Protein backbone atom coordinates (compact mmCIF):
# COMPACT_ATOMS: atom_id res chain seq x y z
CA UNK A 1 0.00 0.00 0.00
CA UNK A 2 1.13 3.59 -0.53
CA UNK A 3 3.16 5.28 2.21
CA UNK A 4 0.92 7.43 4.47
CA UNK A 5 3.60 9.90 5.47
CA UNK A 6 4.49 11.09 1.96
CA UNK A 7 3.29 14.36 0.49
CA UNK A 8 -0.48 14.51 0.20
CA UNK A 9 -0.18 15.60 -3.41
CA UNK A 10 1.03 12.19 -4.43
CA UNK A 11 -0.62 9.75 -2.07
CA UNK A 12 -3.43 9.49 0.45
CA UNK A 13 -3.40 7.28 3.53
CA UNK A 14 -5.47 4.13 3.52
CA UNK A 15 -6.23 2.75 6.98
CA UNK A 16 -6.95 -0.94 6.55
CA UNK A 17 -9.89 -1.07 8.94
CA UNK A 18 -13.63 -1.42 8.62
CA UNK A 19 -16.24 0.75 10.25
CA UNK A 20 -18.04 -0.77 13.24
CA UNK A 21 -21.12 -1.46 11.12
CA UNK A 22 -19.08 -3.60 8.75
CA UNK A 23 -17.05 -5.15 11.54
CA UNK A 24 -20.38 -6.33 12.88
CA UNK A 25 -20.77 -8.31 9.67
CA UNK A 26 -17.41 -9.94 10.29
CA UNK A 27 -18.35 -10.80 13.85
CA UNK A 28 -21.28 -13.00 12.92
CA UNK A 29 -20.89 -16.77 12.93
CA UNK A 30 -23.07 -19.84 13.11
CA UNK A 31 -22.54 -22.02 16.15
CA UNK A 32 -21.93 -25.72 16.53
CA UNK A 33 -22.94 -27.88 13.61
CA UNK A 34 -21.97 -31.37 14.67
CA UNK A 35 -22.08 -34.64 12.80
CA UNK A 36 -20.68 -38.12 12.76
CA UNK A 37 -18.54 -37.37 9.73
CA UNK A 38 -16.53 -34.65 11.48
CA UNK A 39 -16.78 -31.27 13.15
CA UNK A 40 -17.39 -27.76 11.79
CA UNK A 41 -14.48 -25.67 10.58
CA UNK A 42 -13.91 -22.48 12.57
CA UNK A 43 -15.69 -19.26 11.58
CA UNK A 44 -12.49 -17.24 11.84
CA UNK A 45 -8.75 -17.77 12.25
CA UNK A 46 -8.33 -15.48 15.27
CA UNK A 47 -6.27 -12.84 13.53
CA UNK A 48 -5.08 -10.32 16.16
CA UNK A 49 -7.05 -7.50 14.53
CA UNK A 50 -9.79 -9.27 12.56
CA UNK A 51 -10.55 -12.47 14.49
CA UNK A 52 -13.59 -13.37 12.38
CA UNK A 53 -11.82 -13.04 9.03
CA UNK A 54 -10.89 -16.27 7.33
CA UNK A 55 -12.15 -19.74 8.13
CA UNK A 56 -10.69 -22.89 9.60
CA UNK A 57 -10.74 -26.52 8.53
CA UNK A 58 -9.70 -26.18 4.91
CA UNK A 59 -7.18 -24.60 2.55
CA UNK A 60 -8.31 -23.11 -0.77
CA UNK A 61 -6.15 -24.11 -3.72
CA UNK A 62 -8.08 -22.44 -6.56
CA UNK A 63 -10.81 -19.87 -7.16
CA UNK A 64 -12.75 -19.94 -10.42
CA UNK A 65 -14.77 -16.70 -10.54
CA UNK A 66 -17.25 -15.89 -13.29
CA UNK A 67 -18.70 -12.39 -13.10
CA UNK A 68 -21.36 -10.94 -15.40
CA UNK A 69 -21.34 -7.17 -14.83
CA UNK A 70 -24.15 -4.89 -15.95
CA UNK A 71 -23.68 -1.77 -18.08
CA UNK A 72 -23.36 0.52 -15.05
CA UNK A 73 -21.14 -1.86 -13.05
CA UNK A 74 -23.72 -1.53 -10.28
CA UNK A 75 -24.83 -5.15 -10.26
CA UNK A 76 -23.35 -8.51 -11.04
CA UNK A 77 -24.48 -12.08 -11.45
CA UNK A 78 -21.72 -14.47 -10.53
CA UNK A 79 -20.51 -17.99 -9.85
CA UNK A 80 -17.59 -18.94 -7.62
CA UNK A 81 -16.06 -22.39 -7.96
CA UNK A 82 -13.83 -22.93 -4.93
CA UNK A 83 -11.49 -25.91 -4.83
CA UNK A 84 -10.14 -26.68 -1.37
CA UNK A 85 -8.34 -29.32 0.68
CA UNK A 86 -9.75 -30.33 4.04
CA UNK A 87 -7.32 -29.89 6.94
CA UNK A 88 -9.66 -31.68 9.36
CA UNK A 89 -12.65 -33.99 9.11
CA UNK A 90 -15.42 -31.53 8.29
CA UNK A 91 -19.14 -31.72 9.01
CA UNK A 92 -19.58 -28.08 7.98
CA UNK A 93 -17.43 -25.14 6.92
CA UNK A 94 -17.66 -21.37 6.46
CA UNK A 95 -17.15 -18.87 3.66
CA UNK A 96 -16.89 -15.08 4.01
CA UNK A 97 -19.31 -13.07 1.87
CA UNK A 98 -20.89 -9.69 2.60
CA UNK A 99 -24.07 -8.24 1.13
CA UNK A 100 -24.67 -10.31 -1.98
CA UNK A 101 -27.60 -12.72 -2.34
CA UNK A 102 -26.70 -16.41 -2.38
CA UNK A 103 -28.89 -18.24 -4.89
CA UNK A 104 -27.52 -21.78 -4.60
CA UNK A 105 -24.61 -23.78 -3.19
CA UNK A 106 -23.35 -27.24 -4.07
CA UNK A 107 -20.46 -29.25 -2.66
CA UNK A 108 -19.13 -31.95 -4.97
CA UNK A 109 -22.19 -31.46 -7.14
CA UNK A 110 -24.75 -32.04 -4.41
CA UNK A 111 -26.86 -29.28 -2.84
CA UNK A 112 -25.57 -28.05 0.53
CA UNK A 113 -27.62 -26.54 3.33
CA UNK A 114 -26.70 -22.87 3.86
CA UNK A 115 -27.25 -20.55 6.78
CA UNK A 116 -26.05 -16.98 7.10
CA UNK A 117 -25.10 -14.67 9.94
CA UNK A 118 -23.67 -11.33 8.84
CA UNK A 119 -20.82 -12.01 6.47
CA UNK A 120 -20.49 -15.68 7.48
CA UNK A 121 -21.97 -18.38 5.28
CA UNK A 122 -22.16 -21.77 6.98
CA UNK A 123 -22.35 -24.69 4.57
CA UNK A 124 -23.45 -28.16 5.67
CA UNK A 125 -22.69 -30.58 2.81
CA UNK A 126 -24.71 -33.64 1.97
CA UNK A 127 -23.41 -36.67 3.86
CA UNK A 128 -22.98 -38.48 0.55
CA UNK A 129 -19.84 -36.41 -0.08
CA UNK A 130 -18.34 -37.06 3.38
CA UNK A 131 -15.26 -38.80 2.00
CA UNK A 132 -14.20 -35.62 0.20
CA UNK A 133 -14.39 -33.71 3.48
CA UNK A 134 -12.05 -35.94 5.46
CA UNK A 135 -8.57 -34.69 6.30
CA UNK A 136 -6.53 -34.39 3.12
CA UNK A 137 -9.55 -34.73 0.86
CA UNK A 138 -10.25 -32.29 -1.97
CA UNK A 139 -13.71 -30.84 -2.49
CA UNK A 140 -15.28 -28.37 -4.89
CA UNK A 141 -17.86 -25.83 -3.77
CA UNK A 142 -19.98 -23.89 -6.28
CA UNK A 143 -21.71 -20.72 -5.07
CA UNK A 144 -24.10 -18.86 -7.36
CA UNK A 145 -24.80 -15.34 -6.18
CA UNK A 146 -25.92 -11.92 -7.38
CA UNK A 147 -26.61 -8.36 -6.36
CA UNK A 148 -25.01 -4.97 -5.95
CA UNK A 149 -21.56 -5.32 -4.33
CA UNK A 150 -20.86 -3.19 -1.29
CA UNK A 151 -18.48 -0.28 -0.98
CA UNK A 152 -16.98 -0.33 2.50
CA UNK A 153 -15.99 2.92 4.20
CA UNK A 154 -12.94 2.63 6.44
CA UNK A 155 -12.47 4.48 9.71
CA UNK A 156 -10.36 7.19 8.07
CA UNK A 157 -12.98 7.85 5.39
CA UNK A 158 -11.24 5.90 2.61
CA UNK A 159 -13.13 3.17 0.80
CA UNK A 160 -12.57 -0.40 -0.32
CA UNK A 161 -14.58 -3.24 -1.76
CA UNK A 162 -16.44 -2.51 -5.01
CA UNK A 163 -15.66 1.11 -5.89
CA UNK A 164 -17.74 2.77 -8.59
CA UNK A 165 -15.79 4.88 -11.08
CA UNK A 166 -16.77 7.31 -13.83
CA UNK A 167 -17.26 4.52 -16.38
CA UNK A 168 -17.22 1.29 -14.35
CA UNK A 169 -15.79 -0.04 -11.11
CA UNK A 170 -12.61 -1.25 -9.46
CA UNK A 171 -12.42 -3.87 -6.70
CA UNK A 172 -9.82 -3.24 -3.97
CA UNK A 173 -9.58 -5.49 -0.95
CA UNK A 174 -7.17 -4.59 1.86
CA UNK A 175 -7.90 -5.92 4.44
CA UNK A 176 -11.37 -7.37 3.83
CA UNK A 177 -12.94 -5.67 0.82
CA UNK A 178 -12.73 -8.75 -1.39
CA UNK A 179 -15.55 -10.42 0.53
CA UNK A 180 -17.88 -7.82 -1.01
CA UNK A 181 -17.55 -9.36 -4.50
CA UNK A 182 -16.72 -13.05 -4.08
CA UNK A 183 -17.12 -15.72 -1.39
CA UNK A 184 -13.97 -17.25 0.02
CA UNK A 185 -11.51 -17.69 2.84
CA UNK A 186 -10.65 -14.02 3.25
CA UNK A 187 -7.52 -14.04 5.37
CA UNK A 188 -4.01 -13.53 3.97
CA UNK A 189 -2.97 -16.89 5.44
CA UNK A 190 -4.87 -18.79 2.72
CA UNK A 191 -3.43 -18.16 -0.74
CA UNK A 192 -4.67 -19.75 -3.96
CA UNK A 193 -4.48 -19.68 -7.76
CA UNK A 194 -7.25 -17.91 -9.70
CA UNK A 195 -9.16 -17.97 -12.96
CA UNK A 196 -11.34 -14.87 -13.30
CA UNK A 197 -13.82 -14.48 -16.17
CA UNK A 198 -15.55 -11.12 -16.42
CA UNK A 199 -18.25 -10.33 -18.98
CA UNK A 200 -18.92 -6.65 -19.71
CA UNK A 201 -20.65 -4.61 -22.44
CA UNK A 202 -18.73 -4.55 -25.72
CA UNK A 203 -16.40 -1.55 -25.78
CA UNK A 204 -15.44 -1.87 -22.14
CA UNK A 205 -12.45 -3.74 -20.75
CA UNK A 206 -12.18 -5.97 -17.70
CA UNK A 207 -8.75 -6.30 -16.14
CA UNK A 208 -7.70 -8.65 -13.36
CA UNK A 209 -4.55 -10.25 -11.95
CA UNK A 210 -2.22 -12.56 -13.84
CA UNK A 211 -2.29 -12.94 -17.61
CA UNK A 212 -5.06 -12.70 -20.19
CA UNK A 213 -6.01 -16.17 -21.42
CA UNK A 214 -8.76 -15.15 -23.85
CA UNK A 215 -11.07 -12.38 -24.96
CA UNK A 216 -14.31 -13.23 -26.75
CA UNK A 217 -17.16 -11.01 -27.94
CA UNK A 218 -20.67 -12.24 -28.77
CA UNK A 219 -24.08 -10.62 -28.68
CA UNK A 220 -22.72 -7.23 -27.67
CA UNK A 221 -20.89 -8.61 -24.62
CA UNK A 222 -17.17 -9.33 -24.18
CA UNK A 223 -15.73 -11.92 -21.80
CA UNK A 224 -12.19 -11.51 -20.51
CA UNK A 225 -10.50 -14.53 -18.93
CA UNK A 226 -7.54 -13.80 -16.62
CA UNK A 227 -5.42 -16.48 -14.94
CA UNK A 228 -3.14 -16.20 -11.89
CA UNK A 229 -1.01 -19.30 -11.49
CA UNK A 230 1.06 -18.14 -8.52
CA UNK A 231 -0.68 -18.24 -5.12
CA UNK A 232 -2.44 -15.00 -4.19
CA UNK A 233 -4.09 -13.76 -1.00
CA UNK A 234 -7.69 -12.67 -1.50
CA UNK A 235 -6.97 -9.06 -0.47
CA UNK A 236 -4.65 -8.76 -3.48
CA UNK A 237 -7.28 -9.84 -6.02
CA UNK A 238 -8.74 -7.14 -8.22
CA UNK A 239 -11.11 -6.52 -11.09
CA UNK A 240 -11.19 -3.19 -12.92
CA UNK A 241 -14.04 -2.53 -15.36
CA UNK A 242 -14.09 0.49 -17.64
CA UNK A 243 -12.91 1.92 -20.94
CA UNK A 244 -9.28 1.13 -20.21
CA UNK A 245 -6.65 0.98 -22.90
CA UNK A 246 -4.82 -2.31 -22.28
CA UNK A 247 -1.28 -2.64 -23.57
CA UNK A 248 1.33 -5.39 -23.28
CA UNK A 249 5.05 -4.64 -23.52
CA UNK A 250 8.00 -6.50 -22.02
CA UNK A 251 11.13 -5.99 -19.98
CA UNK A 252 14.54 -6.63 -21.53
CA UNK A 253 14.36 -10.14 -20.06
CA UNK A 254 11.01 -10.81 -21.71
CA UNK A 255 8.74 -10.43 -18.68
CA UNK A 256 5.29 -9.25 -19.88
CA UNK A 257 4.30 -5.80 -18.61
CA UNK A 258 0.52 -5.42 -18.87
CA UNK A 259 -0.87 -1.95 -18.25
CA UNK A 260 -4.47 -0.79 -18.27
CA UNK A 261 -4.88 2.98 -18.44
CA UNK A 262 -7.99 5.13 -18.31
CA UNK A 263 -8.03 7.27 -21.49
CA UNK A 264 -8.55 10.39 -19.36
CA UNK A 265 -4.99 10.02 -18.00
CA UNK A 266 -3.37 8.37 -21.02
CA UNK A 267 -1.02 11.24 -21.84
CA UNK A 268 0.36 11.59 -18.32
CA UNK A 269 0.71 7.80 -18.02
CA UNK A 270 2.58 7.21 -21.28
CA UNK A 271 5.89 6.51 -19.54
CA UNK A 272 4.53 4.03 -16.98
CA UNK A 273 5.39 0.77 -18.83
CA UNK A 274 9.02 1.80 -19.33
CA UNK A 275 9.34 2.89 -15.69
CA UNK A 276 7.86 -0.42 -14.52
CA UNK A 277 10.42 -2.33 -16.60
CA UNK A 278 13.24 -0.21 -15.16
CA UNK A 279 12.06 -0.62 -11.56
CA UNK A 280 11.57 -4.38 -11.91
CA UNK A 281 15.11 -4.75 -13.30
CA UNK A 282 16.48 -2.67 -10.41
CA UNK A 283 14.43 -4.68 -7.90
CA UNK A 284 15.85 -7.94 -9.21
CA UNK A 285 19.38 -6.67 -8.59
CA UNK A 286 18.48 -5.67 -5.04
CA UNK A 287 16.01 -8.37 -4.00
CA UNK A 288 16.44 -11.30 -6.37
CA UNK A 289 14.24 -12.73 -9.15
CA UNK A 290 10.90 -11.04 -9.75
CA UNK A 291 8.39 -13.48 -8.23
CA UNK A 292 5.58 -13.46 -10.80
CA UNK A 293 4.95 -14.26 -14.45
CA UNK A 294 3.96 -10.71 -15.38
CA UNK A 295 4.18 -7.15 -14.09
CA UNK A 296 2.13 -4.08 -14.82
CA UNK A 297 -0.33 -1.54 -13.46
CA UNK A 298 -3.92 -0.37 -13.59
CA UNK A 299 -4.04 3.42 -13.80
CA UNK A 300 -7.44 4.94 -13.17
CA UNK A 301 -8.59 8.50 -12.81
CA UNK A 302 -7.83 10.66 -9.82
CA UNK A 303 -10.66 10.10 -7.42
CA UNK A 304 -11.31 6.47 -8.39
CA UNK A 305 -9.82 5.61 -4.98
CA UNK A 306 -8.03 7.53 -2.27
CA UNK A 307 -4.89 5.40 -2.37
CA UNK A 308 -2.73 3.08 -4.44
CA UNK A 309 -2.74 -0.64 -3.67
CA UNK A 310 -0.30 -3.45 -4.44
CA UNK A 311 -2.81 -5.74 -6.16
CA UNK A 312 -0.82 -8.74 -7.40
CA UNK A 313 0.95 -8.47 -10.77
CA UNK A 314 -0.45 -5.01 -11.46
CA UNK A 315 -0.90 -2.46 -8.68
CA UNK A 316 -3.78 -0.03 -8.89
CA UNK A 317 -3.09 3.72 -9.01
CA UNK A 318 -5.69 6.53 -8.81
CA UNK A 319 -4.11 8.68 -11.47
CA UNK A 320 -0.62 8.61 -12.99
CA UNK A 321 1.91 7.51 -10.33
CA UNK A 322 5.21 9.22 -9.70
CA UNK A 323 8.37 7.13 -9.54
CA UNK A 324 8.45 6.87 -5.75
CA UNK A 325 4.94 5.46 -5.62
CA UNK A 326 5.72 3.01 -8.43
CA UNK A 327 8.80 1.82 -6.54
CA UNK A 328 6.78 1.32 -3.35
CA UNK A 329 3.96 -0.69 -4.94
CA UNK A 330 6.27 -2.75 -7.16
CA UNK A 331 8.48 -3.56 -4.16
CA UNK A 332 5.35 -5.05 -2.60
CA UNK A 333 5.37 -7.70 -5.31
CA UNK A 334 8.31 -9.18 -3.40
CA UNK A 335 7.33 -7.97 0.08
CA UNK A 336 3.66 -8.70 0.74
CA UNK A 337 2.47 -10.32 -2.48
CA UNK A 338 5.01 -13.14 -2.82
CA UNK A 339 5.96 -13.29 0.87
CA UNK A 340 2.60 -12.54 2.48
CA UNK A 341 2.08 -11.76 6.17
CA UNK A 342 0.90 -14.62 8.34
CA UNK A 343 -1.43 -12.21 10.12
CA UNK A 344 -2.29 -8.53 9.87
CA UNK A 345 0.03 -7.87 12.83
CA UNK A 346 2.93 -8.67 10.50
CA UNK A 347 2.03 -5.86 8.09
CA UNK A 348 5.21 -3.93 8.95
CA UNK A 349 7.12 -6.59 6.98
CA UNK A 350 5.24 -5.43 3.87
CA UNK A 351 5.31 -1.70 4.45
CA UNK A 352 8.69 -1.39 6.16
CA UNK A 353 10.47 -3.10 3.27
CA UNK A 354 8.47 -1.25 0.59
CA UNK A 355 9.38 2.04 2.27
CA UNK A 356 13.01 0.95 2.53
CA UNK A 357 12.90 0.18 -1.20
CA UNK A 358 12.00 3.84 -1.75
CA UNK A 359 15.05 4.85 0.30
CA UNK A 360 17.26 2.52 -1.73
CA UNK A 361 15.90 3.86 -5.02
CA UNK A 362 16.51 7.44 -3.90
CA UNK A 363 20.08 6.54 -2.99
CA UNK A 364 20.73 4.77 -6.28
CA UNK A 365 19.00 7.28 -8.58
CA UNK A 366 18.55 10.61 -6.82
CA UNK A 367 21.73 10.94 -4.79
CA UNK A 368 19.90 10.85 -1.45
CA UNK A 369 21.85 8.58 0.93
CA UNK A 370 19.83 6.01 2.84
CA UNK A 371 21.32 7.48 6.01
CA UNK A 372 19.59 10.78 5.22
CA UNK A 373 16.23 9.07 4.68
CA UNK A 374 16.76 7.28 7.98
CA UNK A 375 17.53 10.54 9.79
CA UNK A 376 14.35 12.16 8.46
CA UNK A 377 12.26 9.19 9.54
CA UNK A 378 13.95 9.13 12.94
CA UNK A 379 13.17 12.83 13.49
CA UNK A 380 9.50 12.40 12.56
CA UNK A 381 7.47 12.16 15.77
CA UNK A 382 4.68 10.34 13.94
CA UNK A 383 6.91 7.29 13.47
CA UNK A 384 7.15 6.79 17.25
CA UNK A 385 3.45 6.67 18.11
CA UNK A 386 3.66 2.91 18.75
CA UNK A 387 5.92 -0.07 17.96
CA UNK A 388 5.94 -1.13 14.31
CA UNK A 389 5.24 -4.71 15.35
CA UNK A 390 2.33 -3.90 17.67
CA UNK A 391 -0.19 -1.39 16.30
CA UNK A 392 -2.78 -0.70 19.02
CA UNK A 393 -5.71 -1.76 16.86
CA UNK A 394 -6.92 -2.30 13.29
CA UNK A 395 -7.32 1.45 12.76
CA UNK A 396 -3.55 1.82 13.18
CA UNK A 397 -2.34 -0.72 10.61
CA UNK A 398 -1.57 1.92 7.99
CA UNK A 399 -0.24 4.61 10.31
CA UNK A 400 3.34 5.95 10.04
CA UNK A 401 5.15 3.58 12.47
CA UNK A 402 4.27 0.57 10.31
CA UNK A 403 5.97 2.29 7.37
CA UNK A 404 8.67 4.63 8.62
CA UNK A 405 9.65 2.81 11.79
CA UNK A 406 9.44 -0.47 9.88
CA UNK A 407 11.96 0.87 7.37
CA UNK A 408 14.20 2.04 10.21
CA UNK A 409 14.22 -1.51 11.61
CA UNK A 410 15.43 -2.77 8.22
CA UNK A 411 18.20 -0.18 8.13
CA UNK A 412 19.29 -0.98 11.69
CA UNK A 413 19.64 -4.63 10.65
CA UNK A 414 21.83 -3.50 7.75
CA UNK A 415 23.98 -1.47 10.12
CA UNK A 416 24.37 -4.37 12.56
CA UNK A 417 25.32 -6.79 9.79
CA UNK A 418 27.83 -4.16 8.61
CA UNK A 419 28.36 -5.84 5.24
CA UNK A 420 26.09 -4.96 2.33
CA UNK A 421 26.74 -8.18 0.46
CA UNK A 422 25.78 -10.18 3.54
CA UNK A 423 22.78 -7.96 4.31
CA UNK A 424 21.24 -8.22 0.85
CA UNK A 425 22.03 -11.93 0.86
CA UNK A 426 19.93 -12.23 4.02
CA UNK A 427 17.07 -10.32 2.36
CA UNK A 428 17.22 -12.43 -0.81
CA UNK A 429 17.36 -15.56 1.27
CA UNK A 430 14.26 -14.47 3.18
CA UNK A 431 12.36 -13.91 -0.05
CA UNK A 432 13.54 -17.22 -1.49
CA UNK A 433 12.75 -19.26 1.63
CA UNK A 434 9.17 -17.95 1.82
CA UNK A 435 8.44 -17.41 -1.89
CA UNK A 436 4.68 -17.58 -2.56
CA UNK A 437 4.02 -18.43 1.09
CA UNK A 438 3.18 -16.74 4.38
CA UNK A 439 5.61 -15.64 7.08
CA UNK A 440 5.47 -13.93 10.47
CA UNK A 441 7.61 -11.46 12.36
CA UNK A 442 8.98 -14.35 14.43
CA UNK A 443 9.96 -16.14 11.20
CA UNK A 444 11.77 -13.01 10.04
CA UNK A 445 13.72 -12.31 13.23
CA UNK A 446 14.77 -15.97 13.44
CA UNK A 447 15.92 -15.90 9.80
CA UNK A 448 17.98 -12.74 10.28
CA UNK A 449 19.71 -14.06 13.41
CA UNK A 450 20.42 -17.45 11.86
CA UNK A 451 21.88 -16.06 8.63
CA UNK A 452 23.80 -13.20 10.27
CA UNK A 453 25.06 -15.19 13.24
CA UNK A 454 24.17 -12.22 15.46
CA UNK A 455 22.13 -11.95 18.63
CA UNK A 456 19.85 -9.01 17.79
CA UNK A 457 17.66 -9.15 20.88
CA UNK A 458 18.40 -5.54 21.75
CA UNK A 459 17.53 -4.36 18.24
CA UNK A 460 14.18 -6.16 18.31
CA UNK A 461 13.41 -4.97 21.84
CA UNK A 462 14.13 -1.31 21.09
CA UNK A 463 13.61 -0.57 17.40
CA UNK A 464 10.88 -3.08 16.55
CA UNK A 465 8.99 -3.69 19.80
CA UNK A 466 10.03 -0.82 22.06
CA UNK A 467 7.66 1.83 23.32
CA UNK A 468 9.97 4.83 22.99
CA UNK A 469 12.50 6.28 20.55
CA UNK A 470 15.93 4.68 21.14
CA UNK A 471 19.09 6.77 20.93
CA UNK A 472 21.30 6.62 17.87
CA UNK A 473 25.06 6.85 17.91
Amino acid sequence: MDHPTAAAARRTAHAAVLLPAVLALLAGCTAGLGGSMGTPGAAGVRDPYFPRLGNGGYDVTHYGLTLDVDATAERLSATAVITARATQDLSAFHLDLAGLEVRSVTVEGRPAAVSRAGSELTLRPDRAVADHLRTGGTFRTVVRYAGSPLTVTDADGSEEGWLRTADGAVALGEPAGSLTWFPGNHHPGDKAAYDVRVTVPEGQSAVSNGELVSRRTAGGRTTFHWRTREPMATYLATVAVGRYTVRTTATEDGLPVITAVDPAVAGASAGVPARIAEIVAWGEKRFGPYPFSSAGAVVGRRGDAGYALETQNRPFFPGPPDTGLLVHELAHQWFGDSVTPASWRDMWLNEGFATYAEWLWSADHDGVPVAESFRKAYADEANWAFPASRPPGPADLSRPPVYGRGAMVVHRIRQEVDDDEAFFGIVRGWLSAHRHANASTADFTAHVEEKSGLDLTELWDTWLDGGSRPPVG
Side-chain angles (χ1 to χ4, degrees):
M1 189 177 295
D2 55 328
H3 193 314
T5 61
R10 77 178 177 99
R11 60 186 73 174
T12 302
H14 174 52
V17 55
L18 305 178
L19 282 179
V22 181
L23 283 170
L25 293 177
L26 301 179
C29 66
T30 300
L33 294 174
S36 60
M37 69 178 184
T39 56
V45 296
R46 298 184 179 180
D47 184 90
Y49 299 107
F50 303 100
R52 295 297 186 190
L53 278 183
N55 304 284
Y58 65 92
D59 174 66
V60 178
T61 58
H62 183 267
Y63 289 96
L65 306 177
T66 301
L67 312 177
D68 195 303
V69 183
D70 74 2
T72 63
E74 287 287 341
R75 295 184 59 83
L76 57 81
S77 178
T79 301
V81 180
I82 303 166
T83 305
R85 180 181 58 85
T87 57
Q88 68 179 66
D89 292 349
L90 288 168
S91 63
F93 61 94
H94 295 78
L95 294 172
D96 303 312
L97 180 68
L100 296 163
E101 174 194 355
V102 176
R103 294 182 168 174
S104 68
V105 178
T106 62
V107 178
E108 284 299 303
R110 297 184 67 87
V114 183
S115 59
R116 188 169 196 166
S119 63
E120 289 287 342
L121 302 181
T122 302
L123 282 57
R124 187 180 345 213
D126 190 300
R127 291 182 182 277
V129 303
D131 284 348
H132 292 274
L133 298 169
R134 300 193 191 281
T135 303
T138 299
F139 59 98
R140 190 176 76 157
T141 302
V142 179
V143 182
R144 292 179 172 83
Y145 60 103
S148 181
L150 296 173
T151 297
V152 176
T153 301
D154 294 341
D156 68 343
S158 60
E159 297 179 329
E160 62 169 317
W162 191 263
L163 308 182
R164 277 69 177 179
T165 63
D167 59 359
V170 60
L172 302 178
E174 187 177 9
S178 293
L179 59 75
T180 66
W181 61 280
F182 70 95
N185 194 10
H186 289 285
H187 186 271
D190 192 356
K191 302 170 69 169
Y194 286 69
D195 279 271
V196 179
R197 295 172 175 84
V198 187
T199 300
V200 295
E202 185 176 1
Q204 287 195 324
S205 295
V207 184
S208 188
N209 312 88
E211 292 77 55
L212 186 65
V213 176
S214 64
R215 170 180 173 171
R216 295 187 176 91
T217 299
R221 306 276 290 169
T222 303
T223 299
F224 297 81
H225 177 191
W226 294 87
R227 176 171 293 156
T228 304
R229 292 183 174 87
E230 298 93 352
M232 178 169 68
T234 61
Y235 81 91
L236 298 170
T238 191
V239 167
V241 174
R243 297 189 179 279
Y244 292 99
T245 300
V246 182
R247 178 186 177 198
T248 300
T249 57
T251 67
E252 290 185 359
D253 293 334
L255 179 77
V257 177
I258 304 167
T259 54
V261 179
D262 190 297
V265 296
S269 302
V272 167
R275 282 186 287 162
I276 290 173
E278 179 187 7
I279 292 165
V280 167
W282 170 83
E284 290 192 310
K285 292 177 183 176
R286 285 296 197 179
F287 310 130
Y290 181 76
F292 299 113
S293 49
S294 68
V298 177
V299 184
R301 304 185 190 192
R302 292 179 178 89
D304 283 353
Y307 52 90
L309 188 65
E310 62 269 21
T311 41
Q312 193 159 302
N313 302 99
R314 53 195 51 85
F316 174 81
F317 299 95
D322 65 16
T323 301
L325 187 54
L326 266 176
V327 169
H328 187 98
E329 304 305 339
L330 290 172
H332 274 309
Q333 304 304 302
W334 284 268
F335 303 101
D337 293 14
S338 176
V339 182
T340 303
S343 81
W344 285 110
R345 179 167 285 166
D346 304 304
M347 188 168 162
W348 79 272
L349 287 168
N350 299 10
E351 302 300 350
F353 268 105
T355 301
Y356 197 68
E358 291 186 74
W359 295 3
L360 292 171
W361 177 273
S362 292
D364 290 349
H365 296 84
D366 303 322
V368 180
V370 171
E372 182 176 331
S373 297
F374 176 90
R375 284 193 296 271
K376 288 181 179 179
Y378 182 83
D380 188 344
E381 293 289 342
N383 285 325
W384 303 102
F386 53 81
S389 63
R390 292 202 303 273
D396 304 299
L397 289 176
S398 286
R399 288 185 59 199
V402 177
Y403 294 70
R405 188 167 175 180
M408 283 187 276
V409 171
V410 176
H411 190 60
R412 286 292 296 120
I413 296 167
R414 184 180 180 183
Q415 290 176 320
E416 290 293 327
V417 172
D418 198 27
D419 180 316
D420 271 6
E421 184 175 350
F423 168 76
F424 284 105
I426 290 168
V427 173
R428 294 185 195 104
W430 164 253
L431 293 165
S432 176
H434 298 281
R435 183 180 174 91
H436 300 319
N438 295 85
S440 67
T441 297
D443 295 326
F444 177 72
T445 57
H447 172 85
V448 172
E449 292 201 348
E450 177 189 354
K451 300 304 180 182
S452 68
L454 299 173
D455 181 351
L456 298 176
T457 301
E458 183 178 357
L459 191 157
W460 311 133
D461 287 348
T462 56
W463 291 88
L464 181 59
D465 301 326
S468 60
R469 177 163 36 192
V472 291

